[in-house]
Amino acid sequence: MKQVKKLNTPRSNLFAWFVVLAAVLAYGGHARAGTVTLCVDKSSAAAPMDTRLAQAVARHEGATLALHRFDGAGDGDDGLGAKDFHRLAAQCDLVLGFPVDAGAHGAPMPGLHATRAYGHTGFVLVTPRGKGWTSLASLPAGSRVAVTYQTTPNIYLADHPKLAADVQLDDAATLKALQSRKDVAAMLWRPTVVSQLGERGLEQHYDMHELDESHARFDLVALYDDAHAEAAKAFEQAVAAMAASGELAQTLAPYAQPGAALTAVAGAKSAERRVFGAARTRHAADRRCAANARAGKSRKPARVPTLYTQAQADIGKAKFLENCSRCHGRDLGGMAGPALKGANFASAASHFHVGDIFTIVSQNMPATQPGSLPKDDYVEIMAFLLQENGYPAGSTALTFDQAKQSKVDFIYRGQ
């Protein structure tokens, strides 16, 4: 499954899975008895791994495999939106290879369920073989690190000021910058590195190390809807058996490692718990609300911080229209680039801070010359983005350093 790389979650975010773009390819027909229908993203670097997993699961279930290959890239770089995944989940028993930030909580796709994590992957530091550089902190001061435009690893360098980011427009260019020795390291999605180096027969020349940074580690799950809860239960039981025998590790390598431990007992019960657990949670919440109302209790709404002035947002709007709207749309709804407004872009489940978003903006925009605008321009554009995502203006102006270091949660608050 293609990773969530853009912030409105993969071409990142973190984050292309949750944004609006093209409808999924039509798929007709229904699985006959004894057939398991599994969806695999053919555009993903990990498609060979997902296909092997689908074949192994069908074999363990004693079922015939109906493999539906869809294009997770959609009509652009942002991948499929929520409606597309709902359609896939209705047509297939499970949608394999969905990446979920290991630090996130809650449903990875509103209205759908997820199996227990069967795999673990994420962003890695790639260096020439034998250098001994296992983390960003271990790189020599002044090192240039290649990173792909608008991907999550851009935010990691904010915590490593001794390093310099070399932003490339795509993953191939990022890897090429490392191979040409222009840069001493690169940060990329592990399946992408495996796929591209494998195609060129260069695996033996480079080391990969999992990055110990925020939003770098991802779990792989399968998505399903209410109607396919029994299929999810059978899937978890099959994966548990594969994990116990060591087959799962072989099936996922080298793209990923086995995820959370599964047992047949846990797998048999977990799908049912997820399907009906949300309803029980809502009923419990309703009971608590009723009790609070009877007790005369009330909660004050959480205070939304004021981080910028109205003057900054007004100037920022003009600068956004001049420098950013060609890719992101005049209404921030997304075009060639992702949407920069709304619940999909600023999801609470993504756990991004204002500083994370600002680092991406200031290092990656505009696309033609990333990081080329004056600092004040980036601050004012950020003020406009905050305003458009529901943050009120205040009396104190935002500064570049404040924006970069801000740990305020970046969440769409409506307007």
Side-chain angles (χ1 to χ4, degrees):
M1 185 68 66
K2 192 170 185 177
Q3 71 270 26
V4 180
K5 295 191 294 181
K6 284 189 180 176
L7 285 182
N8 62 332
T9 160
R11 212 174 93 219
S12 114
N13 133 289
L14 21 194
F15 350 89
W17 292 99
F18 308 127
V19 296
V20 180
L21 276 186
V24 70
L25 300 175
Y27 176 69
H30 298 279
R32 64 183 183 276
T35 299
V36 57
T37 305
L38 300 176
C39 281
V40 169
D41 179 6
K42 65 182 180 181
S43 71
S44 168
M49 176 192 74
D50 296 330
T51 300
R52 290 199 303 265
L53 179 64
Q55 293 167 341
V57 166
R59 186 170 63 253
H60 275 266
E61 293 183 12
T64 299
L65 174 63
L67 191 64
H68 173 41
R69 300 179 186 274
F70 68 96
D71 184 1
D75 284 346
D77 291 332
D78 295 319
L80 304 181
K83 290 182 180 179
D84 302 320
F85 278 99
H86 277 268
R87 187 174 302 176
L88 281 171
Q91 295 166 342
C92 295
D93 292 318
L94 298 114
V95 183
L96 300 187
F98 194 93
V100 180
D101 191 323
H105 303 285
M109 180 66 66
L112 295 180
H113 310 290
T115 63
R116 291 182 177 230
Y118 59 80
H120 173 84
T121 192
F123 291 101
V124 293
L125 182 70
V126 190
T127 62
R129 179 63 57 87
K131 289 292 186 180
W133 298 326
T134 60
S135 66
L136 291 174
S138 68
L139 293 174
S143 295
R144 286 167 55 93
V145 182
V147 60
T148 304
Y149 173 71
Q150 284 194 349
T151 59
T152 306
N154 282 269
I155 69 175
Y156 306 157
L157 292 175
D159 294 327
H160 299 275
K162 69 175 183 178
L163 305 178
D166 180 18
V167 181
Q168 302 293 328
L169 290 181
D170 56 42
D171 292 333
T174 298
L175 201 55
K176 185 176 180 180
L178 175 64
Q179 291 176 273
S180 67
R181 299 185 180 180
K182 175 185 177 184
D183 300 325
V184 303
M187 295 186 291
L188 288 160
W189 185 247
R190 182 185 186 98
T192 298
V193 178
V194 170
S195 176
Q196 295 202 13
L197 290 182
E199 287 178 359
R200 305 175 196 180
L202 299 174
E203 308 98 314
Q204 69 274 17
H205 298 303
Y206 296 92
D207 290 326
M208 280 191 299
H209 296 280
E210 186 177 63
L211 282 160
D212 185 15
E213 304 286 342
S214 60
H215 309 293
R217 298 176 176 180
F218 283 76
D219 292 325
L220 299 177
V221 301
L223 300 181
Y224 63 97
D225 61 13
D226 289 357
H228 296 100
E230 287 300 315
K233 183 190 301 183
F235 174 86
E236 289 191 331
Q237 291 174 323
V239 171
M242 292 172 62
S245 68
E247 182 183 358
L248 182 61
Q250 295 177 352
T251 301
L252 301 181
Y255 300 90
Q257 300 169 332
L262 290 170
T263 66
V265 174
K269 296 182 178 297
S270 60
E272 181 179 357
R273 285 200 301 270
R274 275 187 297 279
V275 172
F276 298 108
R280 289 197 295 270
T281 299
R282 287 195 296 272
H283 292 324
D286 290 342
R287 290 195 298 271
R288 286 194 299 271
C289 289
N292 288 342
R294 288 193 297 270
K297 296 179 180 178
S298 62
R299 289 185 177 181
K300 294 181 180 180
R303 178 179 175 273
V304 180
T306 55
L307 304 174
Y308 64 94
T309 64
Q310 188 59 52
Q312 285 182 305
D314 292 342
I315 297 172
K317 179 178 181 179
K319 291 181 177 177
F320 176 88
L321 293 175
E322 177 184 354
N323 296 288
C324 314
S325 61
R326 181 178 300 178
C327 289
H328 301 284
R330 296 181 66 85
D331 62 352
L332 288 80
M335 293 175 66
L340 297 179
K341 172 183 178 179
N344 286 331
F345 168 62
S347 165
S350 297
H351 300 289
F352 281 105
H353 300 129
V354 169
D356 297 330
I357 304 298
F358 183 72
T359 297
I360 296 289
V361 170
S362 61
Q363 290 186 179
N364 288 256
M365 297 184 186
T368 51
Q369 289 183 298
S372 62
L373 300 181
K375 286 186 175 181
D376 285 349
D377 286 14
Y378 286 117
V379 172
E380 288 154 354
I381 289 171
M382 188 68 201
F384 176 59
L385 296 185
L386 286 165
Q387 175 181 269
E388 291 300 294
N389 283 279
Y391 288 76
S395 58
T396 303
L398 182 66
T399 69
F400 188 91
D401 288 342
Q402 287 171 346
K404 191 171 184 179
Q405 297 168 12
S406 177
K407 297 301 182 183
V408 173
D409 291 332
F410 195 91
I411 303 170
Y412 179 64
R413 299 177 182 279
Q415 293 188 3

